[in-house]
Amino acid sequence: MQSSTLLFNTNLNFPPRRLKFLLKPAIFPPPTNRVGLISSRSRSRMASFAGLGVAVDSEVATSRTVGFQTLTDFMGKGRANVGDDLIVLLTHLQYACKRISALVASPFNSELGKEMGHGGGVDSFAGRDAPKPLDLVSNDIILSCLRSSGKVSVMASEEDAAPVWITDDGPFVVVTDPLDGSRNIDVSIPTGTIFGIYNRLWELGHLPTEEQALLNSLQSGSRLIASGYVLYSSATILCLTFGSGTHAFTLDHSTGDFVLTHPSIKIPRRGQIYSVNDARYFDWPDGLRRYIDTVRQGKGQFPKKYSARYVCSLVADFHRTLIYGGVVMNPRDHLRLVYEANPLSFLVEQAGGRGSDGKNRILSLQPVALHQRLPLFLGSLEDMEELESYGNIQQKLTESKSLFASGQLLRSSLARHYVVLSHLTLVQHSNAMTISWKLLEMNPEVYSAWNYRKLAVENNLRSLSDDPDSIKALLDRELTLVERALRRNCKSYGAWHHRKRVLSKGFSSTDLEFRLLDQFLKVDSRNFQGWNRRRFVAGLENQS
């Protein structure tokens, strides 16, 4: 009878005393020696599983892996056929995730809080979202591996207040939540890493590095070239898409390879599971309560009772939904668009599902802030369609508070970012008019914001080229909005200039314009822009 001898690997276990080396993600050398009570007869029949192994027949292990494809093979000569640069990037990224997997499974990770203290982190985070020690170590591990790859120009992380510029010649941009669900580690609930990969916007090369980093990180989810998550649970699973299907790979600890175990995942068109924090039921809007009550009783479009499953770890709940179908949701504006919603929506759409904020497709939204939050609903196509048909399902949407109260969007430099995005035809989103007007309501003196507004109006006019009535309604609405801005600040050069541009599209009444100008000039008779505008209108009247 084969003895079940344990094998101890000193290189893959963390020392119980000093953990400061974890703050230096450049280490973690590959294993070089093994220590254990292993007989020479059984040595050839052993396989190590992350440093702790049991005796396994090598022939059985070999037969088990025959026919399986590793992630590297899949990307290279397999069905993905991605470029060499992306293969190098993902090779380093998967190595980072292996290290994080070992970190969260270590019996000594609880010592990190004592070694690092709990007062550190990014100043802009507080409360339950303040970075935990494991978040910061995971963030450093990923940053170190991306820097080593030489293929990434910018990394934007949920744990950092601003994007990190890595190298001047990297062709890719990576956004990531390094360790989602880290609050659950003390009770051994599954955690995960989420990431998205974009092509770098070389057109922005003339801008300062800080602006390049921000603009590259604020790309729409529709421009993702790859995204994925890694689930750290009873198995370590990497789920990935390159835009042509969703595939899952499981870490084989005996070889250190991610092996393809779930090719071409297709989420069921309908599931029987919903995943949400039921404790907030009485805070939900009426539409969401009615949906949950209906499907729970089996009275929805699918005549079977739904079950509730909620782990409170986004990656774990999403992974179950991806395999079994159903809906995973957070109806509050809590999850981050850049780091969580976009990558996971790309994955679920490639598997045949849908990602939504309750009203709009996630991948169609243009991020306007790095840490922008929103409600998130992901799942089976038919379940999502039924859920959205109930209308009011967003618990709270405080866009004006979450995006604009901090004041960062009032800086003309950030308004200029949106102008650049529009010039690059990256902003093809429906809320451009809303965003620009919120900027101007907060501070009508930001001239770059008026330029952004101009581009938004011009995009709308192009789409309405065959509808004169709609064009007139749009221009009239713009004149009303500009008038409101001028009543707040009649010295706003941008407002006067925008009004001139709007009126040049279709001038209505010189009498109305004279009356409005006279009102402003009575308030401020030295207003140069008002007098200049009056002269322009008088010239138009003479021409007519």
Side-chain angles (χ1 to χ4, degrees), residues 65-272:
T65 57
V66 169
F68 282 95
Q69 193 174 38
T70 67
L71 175 58
T72 304
D73 291 337
F74 180 86
M75 292 187 295
K77 52 191 176 185
R79 65 191 74 186
N81 194 28
V82 300
D84 292 342
D85 287 342
L86 191 54
I87 293 176
V88 172
L89 166 57
L90 282 163
T91 299
H92 283 77
L93 192 55
Q94 65 168 308
Y95 176 59
C97 294
K98 293 174 192 176
R99 291 166 60 181
I100 296 173
S101 176
L103 176 65
V104 299
S106 168
F108 308 113
N109 61 45
S110 61
E111 298 294 322
L112 277 175
K114 300 175 184 177
E115 291 284 327
M116 300 177 62
H118 294 283
V122 181
D123 294 340
S124 59
F125 300 101
R128 67 194 299 243
D129 289 326
K132 310 299 184 294
L134 283 175
D135 291 317
L136 299 176
V137 173
S138 300
N139 191 59
D140 286 344
I141 289 174
I142 292 177
L143 176 59
S144 174
C145 290
L146 295 183
R147 182 175 282 120
S148 298
S149 74
K151 302 299 180 182
V152 178
S153 58
V154 181
M155 185 189 96
S157 169
E158 184 175 309
E159 311 306 333
D160 295 326
V164 177
W165 187 265
I166 297 177
T167 179
D168 292 336
D169 55 358
F172 299 114
V173 176
V174 174
V175 296
T176 181
D177 180 355
L179 193 59
D180 175 74
S182 58
R183 291 182 296 113
N184 298 319
I185 283 182
D186 288 342
V187 289
S188 299
I189 288 178
T191 55
T193 295
I194 304 172
F195 62 89
I197 302 174
Y198 296 93
N199 283 317
R200 176 181 172 183
L201 300 175
W202 295 99
E203 307 95 315
L204 305 178
H206 63 285
L207 296 176
T209 298
E210 181 182 353
E211 294 189 14
Q212 285 191 59
L214 180 61
L215 277 174
N216 274 284
S217 303
L218 287 178
Q219 296 186 60
S220 166
S222 60
R223 300 178 64 86
L224 280 164
I225 61 170
S227 74
Y229 64 82
V230 181
L231 173 66
Y232 310 117
S233 184
S234 57
T236 298
I237 298 175
L238 189 159
C239 191
L240 188 65
T241 181
F242 297 102
S244 57
T246 299
H247 315 277
F249 303 79
T250 303
L251 180 61
D252 182 353
H253 290 281
S254 64
T255 63
D257 293 320
F258 277 103
V259 177
L260 180 62
T261 51
H262 298 76
S264 302
I265 296 174
K266 292 297 179 185
I267 186 172
R269 292 186 63 82
R270 184 175 288 277
Q272 257 185 277

Side-chain angles (χ1 to χ4, degrees), residues 5-9 12-13 34 47-54 107 253:
T5 306
L6 288 177
L7 179 65
F8 182 72
N9 186 339
L12 293 178
N13 285 270
R34 299 182 183 276
S48 170
F49 291 84
L52 287 174
V54 293
H253 290 281

Side-chain angles (χ1 to χ4, degrees), residues 478-491:
E478 279 302 293
L479 293 176
T480 302
L481 294 177
V482 175
E483 182 178 343
R484 285 169 53 188
L486 288 172
R487 290 190 187 283
R488 289 188 57 197
N489 185 354
C490 62
K491 295 182 179 181

